Amino acid sequence: MEELLKTLNDAQREAVVTCDGPLLILAGAGSGKTRVLTHKAMYLINKRGIKPNEILAVTFTNKAAKEMKERLHQLMGISTRTLWISTFHSACMRIMRAHADKLDYSKNFVIYDDSEQKSLVKQCMIELEIDTEVFKPKSLQQAINRAKNNLAGPADIDRQSFSVFDRKFAEVYARYQEAIQKNDAMDFGDIIFNVVILFQKFPEILKEYQDKFKYILVDEYQDTNMVQYTFLKMLAETHKNICVVGDDDQSIYRFRGANIQNILNFE
């Protein structure tokens, strides 16, 4: 491990060996942010005696997660199956597969892709006799996704309905959620949203994962939205060992509800 630490510059090394409590690492593009997280995971395992499955590392792309896994496997011989290094959605999918029955889904629930989601939105609009030419299914689909990214369910939207679009959206959103659950399905936005709901409704399940993950590492933190932020905050409540890496000048997921205030307000 000492040899690996020598390959880092002073700032990177300091970021790797600072382990206890919340840690915010601000770094620009090309400064080795993902490399720092990989070395931190190795440091925790080698120097702190943390088990690989007690670390949760989340990033935004499967490519970044795969690179971190492969590097840990090559350098330390750790089985990638024991590692919780993945995207937010993959980590939450793993949790939902274990506990879906708590939210009245089967553990074999299906995931709707974009076209299946849009088709169901359109079906709900027809059932509610909402003109699909006046109110475009794609617009309502996007509004549903934004709501879930902001941790807002149908009831939350209904309380805020002022415009004609808002009222129609609230109707469609409520019907859509009933329909998708009846079909034992989730859409992309449901995966993290439902884990937060699961944690809120069943504190004992939340505690299980809070106790399990002694360290949480987050890449590209500037791209987190409200539901991702809430998921991380709930998990980190027990040990408070959360390290986030990001660049406050580079947020690429604003279209998906990324909230730059998450990184600006980290302290």
Side-chain angles (χ1 to χ4, degrees), residues 106-121:
S106 80
K107 292 185 180 180
N108 297 315
F109 64 85
V110 297
I111 298 296
Y112 276 8
D113 62 20
D114 187 71
S115 63
E116 289 168 320
Q117 184 191 24
K118 183 180 174 183
S119 177
L120 183 58
V121 167

Side-chain angles (χ1 to χ4, degrees), residues 185-209:
M186 295 186 198
D187 59 36
F188 199 62
D190 278 323
I191 300 170
I192 308 176
F193 182 90
N194 281 339
V195 168
V196 172
I197 299 301
L198 176 78
F199 286 168
Q200 288 172 341
K201 288 188 172 182
F202 300 94
E204 69 279 10
I205 295 176
L206 171 59
K207 187 176 186 308
E208 174 190 335
Y209 288 97

Side-chain angles (χ1 to χ4, degrees), residues 81-240:
R81 274 188 282 181
T82 67
L83 298 170
W84 279 74
I85 298 177
S86 63
T87 62
F88 278 95
H89 285 89
S90 295
C92 288
M93 178 73 83
R94 200 165 166 180
I95 294 169
M96 280 309 305
R97 287 292 181 202
H99 305 286
D101 56 314
K102 296 288 188 183
L103 296 183
D104 299 322
Y105 289 90
S106 80
K107 292 185 180 180
N108 297 315
F109 64 85
V110 297
I111 298 296
Y112 276 8
D113 62 20
D114 187 71
S115 63
E116 289 168 320
Q117 184 191 24
K118 183 180 174 183
S119 177
L120 183 58
V121 167
K122 187 173 182 179
Q123 178 187 319
C124 292
M125 292 176 69
I126 292 169
E127 290 171 3
L128 292 166
E129 298 181 347
I130 295 173
D131 192 329
T132 57
E133 291 300 317
V134 176
F135 300 95
K136 300 296 183 184
K138 184 69 177 176
S139 296
L140 289 167
Q141 176 190 15
Q142 290 170 340
I144 288 171
N145 293 336
R146 281 195 301 271
K148 290 177 181 178
N149 287 339
N150 288 319
L151 206 55
D156 302 307
I157 298 300
D158 194 39
R159 286 195 291 271
Q160 300 166 13
S161 297
F162 301 112
S163 69
V164 174
F165 179 87
D166 286 340
R167 289 195 293 274
K168 296 298 182 186
F169 166 55
E171 288 181 58
V172 173
Y173 190 8
R175 177 67 66 95
Y176 171 85
Q177 281 307 115
E178 289 173 10
I180 198 170
Q181 181 147 11
K182 187 178 178 183
N183 295 345
D184 196 27
M186 295 186 198
D187 59 36
F188 199 62
D190 278 323
I191 300 170
I192 308 176
F193 182 90
N194 281 339
V195 168
V196 172
I197 299 301
L198 176 78
F199 286 168
Q200 288 172 341
K201 288 188 172 182
F202 300 94
E204 69 279 10
I205 295 176
L206 171 59
K207 187 176 186 308
E208 174 190 335
Y209 288 97
Q210 285 175 332
D211 290 344
K212 175 182 177 61
F213 297 125
K214 292 184 170 62
Y215 287 87
I216 299 172
L217 312 177
V218 189
D219 199 7
E220 306 294 359
Y221 185 69
Q222 76 279 352
D223 289 323
T224 53
N225 56 34
M226 176 57 72
V227 72
Q228 291 162 337
Y229 165 81
T230 305
F231 167 70
L232 293 171
K233 188 172 187 295
M234 294 174 89
L235 281 181
E237 202 64 45
T238 296
H239 298 291
K240 294 183 169 54

